[in-house]
Amino acid sequence: MKPLLQELLDYNKHFVTNQEYEQFKTTKSPDKKLVLLSCMDTRLTEMATKAMGLKNGDVKHLMTAGGIISHPMGSTMRSILIAIHMLGTDEVMVMEHHDCGFGALRPGPMIDAMKKRGISEEVIETLRFTGVDLDEWFYGYDNIYDSVRENVDKIKNHPLMPKDVAVHGVIIEPDNGEIELVVNGYDHI
Ligand SMILES: [Zn+2]
């Protein structure tokens, strides 16, 4: 069997030769002026946008584990700020989902899995000594509604976020694409 990388690169040659890129042609500026932050769940790769009628070129789409911003000065928040200040977007939507692997994540099994892949106890202890709280970092959440609200607040209240940016929060059902509105960002501008 072909290694995955080879399979992908071979496909790419056909993709370019057959001009399949034509169907995706668009500009760098988003047509809908929205940044969508969703979970990286594979079920959402296309459904997150298709369930709302969005197509290639419509929105800036970021995907992280859980759709969560873990650090106010990390790369996810930076990406949102760049989208707002430099790339013509003026609304943000946080999309979390039911049956989320990240939500159910707990530090014990995650650390056990890392040890099985060769990460030593020593390394984990050293990180703990240097103030890295792995137990917090690898803890999903207890309540998805609270998680959406916290995530929205983190973006909305970020010191570098303009006050007139609407930050919405939704939950999607990965089985049928149904979206539940949790925070209507227009109510908080
Ligand atoms: Zn998820």
Side-chain angles (χ1 to χ4, degrees), residues 138-163:
F138 292 128
Y139 194 103
Y141 50 73
D142 294 316
N143 180 299
I144 189 169
Y145 292 91
D146 292 342
S147 173
V148 170
R149 285 188 204 100
E150 278 169 27
N151 229 356
V152 165
D153 286 349
K154 237 181 237 177
I155 299 169
K156 181 75 191 155
N157 299 325
H158 195 281
L160 302 177
M161 181 61 71
K163 296 287 167 243

Side-chain angles (χ1 to χ4, degrees), residues 15-84:
F15 181 88
V16 177
T17 310
N18 298 338
Q19 302 187 342
E20 288 182 39
Y21 51 82
E22 286 294 342
Q23 58 183 313
F24 300 110
K25 270 205 170 152
T26 179
T27 62
K28 276 194 269 185
S29 320
D31 292 334
K32 301 286 189 201
K33 303 193 184 309
L34 175 76
V35 194
L36 174 64
L37 170 61
S38 77
C39 181
M40 65 182 187
D41 190 297
T42 45
R43 293 170 293 181
L44 299 185
T45 305
E46 290 192 56
M47 189 144 76
T49 48
K50 297 268 164 63
M52 297 188 290
L54 298 169
K55 59 182 192 324
N56 203 40
D58 277 348
V59 296
K60 299 288 175 198
H61 190 184
L62 308 171
M63 299 181 96
T64 67
I68 303 288
I69 292 182
S70 59
H71 196 287
M73 288 296 172
S75 63
T76 306
M77 193 61 225
R78 180 175 61 177
S79 302
I80 293 173
L81 289 169
I82 292 169
I84 293 290

